[in-house]
């Protein structure tokens, strides 16, 4: 009886492991490439990394979501703050040239009020009033807010149909005549008579611009009751500038 022969050689298939000796392993080299995972998004295949796939499998795919840009977030700064420079410039012209014969639609100052234009005028008037009297800045802003509130309440009591925002805008814009006469007063300040006339002219100019917009036909015979406090308000504004 012959002794059993050596077992037949085993050839591994593609799915089996191949064991090699340590001596043969020195001649082997290579790398293991991670599997490519592709997502089908609307027909386009996008290759994802292993980390992305891991996050999605664990339910953290929301971390990878990118929100679309909202067109509302790309507005210019002036539009975002609701600042219309052309509208402000037109209102400034309407206040500085209050004569009806010039053809300006002056009612836009009252009917379409804004906040930033009057605020800029009041702040500019405060800046030119800073010379030697820093405390007047807060006073000018306070008088603008509460003086406008007083005119508003008085107008409502007298039967006028006006909103506080409209009064605030008209009173603020109508400070422009006082800003115009400010550099003139610096030149003719030593001439008392001339200086007084220019001050009166500036106050009348400002009061007329404001009163012609706020005092409508609905007041009828009550117009002086509203024009007079407006006139006093601008006298007080001027006194804050001159320091009197």
């Amino acid at each position: 009886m012959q002794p059993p022969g050596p077992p037949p050689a085993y050839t591994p298939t593609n799915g089996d492991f191949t064991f090699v000796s340590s001596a043969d392993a020195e001649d082997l080299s290579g790398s293991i490439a991670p599997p490519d995972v592709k997502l089908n998004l609307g027909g386009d295949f996008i290759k994802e990394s292993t980390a992305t796939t891991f996050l999605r499998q664990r339910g953290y795919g929301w971390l990878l979501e990118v929100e679309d840009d909202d067109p509302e977030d790309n507005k210019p700064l002036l539009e975002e703050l609701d600042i219309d420079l052309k509208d402000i410039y037109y209102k400034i012209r309407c206040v500085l040239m209050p004569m009806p014969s010039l053809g300006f639609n002056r009612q836009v100052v009252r009917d379409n009020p804004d906040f930033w234009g009057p605020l800029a005028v009041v702040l500019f008037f405060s800046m030119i009033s800073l010379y030697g009297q820093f405390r007047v800045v807060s006073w000018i802003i306070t008088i603008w807010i509460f003086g406008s509130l007083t005119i508003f309440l008085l107008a409502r009591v007298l039967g006028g149909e006006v909103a506080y925002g409209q009064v605030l805008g008209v009173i603020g814009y109508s400070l422009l005549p006082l800003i115009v006469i400010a550099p003139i007063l610096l030149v003719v300040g030593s001439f008392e008579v001339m200086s007084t006339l220019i001050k009166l002219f500036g106050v009348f100019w400002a009061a007329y611009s404001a009163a012609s917009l706020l005092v409508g036909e609905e007041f009828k015979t009550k117009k002086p009751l509203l024009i007079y406090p407006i006139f006093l308000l601008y006298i007080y504004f001027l006194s804050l500038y001159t320091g009197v």
Side-chain angles (χ1 to χ4, degrees), residues 10-32:
Y10 176 74
T11 304
T13 62
N14 292 335
D16 298 329
F17 293 101
T18 301
F19 298 93
V20 297
S21 63
S22 60
D24 296 335
E26 296 178 356
D27 298 333
L28 298 178
S29 63
S31 61
I32 300 176

Side-chain angles (χ1 to χ4, degrees), residues 62-219:
W62 57 271
L63 294 173
L64 307 174
E65 295 178 358
V66 179
E67 295 183 358
D68 296 333
D69 292 335
D70 190 355
E72 297 293 330
D73 297 335
N74 298 326
K75 289 183 178 181
L77 180 60
L78 293 180
E79 185 177 349
E80 192 73 25
L81 296 176
D82 197 19
I83 300 175
D84 189 345
L85 296 179
K86 293 182 178 179
D87 182 61
I88 293 175
Y89 174 67
Y90 185 80
K91 291 177 180 178
I92 289 175
R93 295 173 63 189
C94 291
V95 170
L96 291 178
M97 293 175 282
M99 289 74 68
S101 59
L102 296 177
F104 290 107
N105 182 20
R106 300 186 66 247
Q107 288 301 317
V108 72
V109 182
R110 170 179 170 170
D111 297 337
N112 186 25
D114 66 288
F115 175 74
W116 296 108
L119 179 63
V121 173
V122 172
L123 290 178
F124 186 69
F125 182 73
S126 302
M127 293 301 104
I128 66 175
S129 303
L130 277 177
Y131 182 72
Q133 41 185 356
F134 291 95
R135 292 179 298 178
V136 302
V137 177
S138 60
W139 267 111
I140 290 174
I141 297 176
T142 302
I143 295 302
W144 172 48
I145 294 174
F146 288 98
S148 299
L149 179 60
T150 303
I151 299 298
F152 163 70
L153 294 176
L154 184 58
R156 297 293 289 186
V157 169
L158 295 176
E161 296 294 333
V162 64
Y164 176 63
Q166 294 175 324
V167 178
L168 197 68
V170 170
I171 296 297
Y173 273 118
S174 296
L175 275 174
L176 285 167
L178 300 185
I179 296 176
V180 172
I181 69 170
I184 302 176
L185 291 176
L186 293 177
V187 177
V188 300
S190 56
F191 303 96
E192 185 175 353
V193 176
M194 183 66 68
S195 178
T196 303
L197 291 176
I198 292 176
K199 291 177 182 178
L200 289 175
F201 173 74
V203 171
F204 275 107
W205 186 4
Y208 175 78
S209 294
S212 61
L213 292 169
L214 294 177
V215 183
E217 295 299 328
E218 66 269 19
F219 292 99

Side-chain angles (χ1 to χ4, degrees), residues 25-48:
E26 296 178 356
D27 298 333
L28 298 178
S29 63
S31 61
I32 300 176
D36 291 337
V37 181
K38 298 180 180 180
L39 285 181
N40 186 359
L41 299 178
D44 296 333
F45 289 96
I46 301 176
K47 186 181 293 185
E48 285 193 348

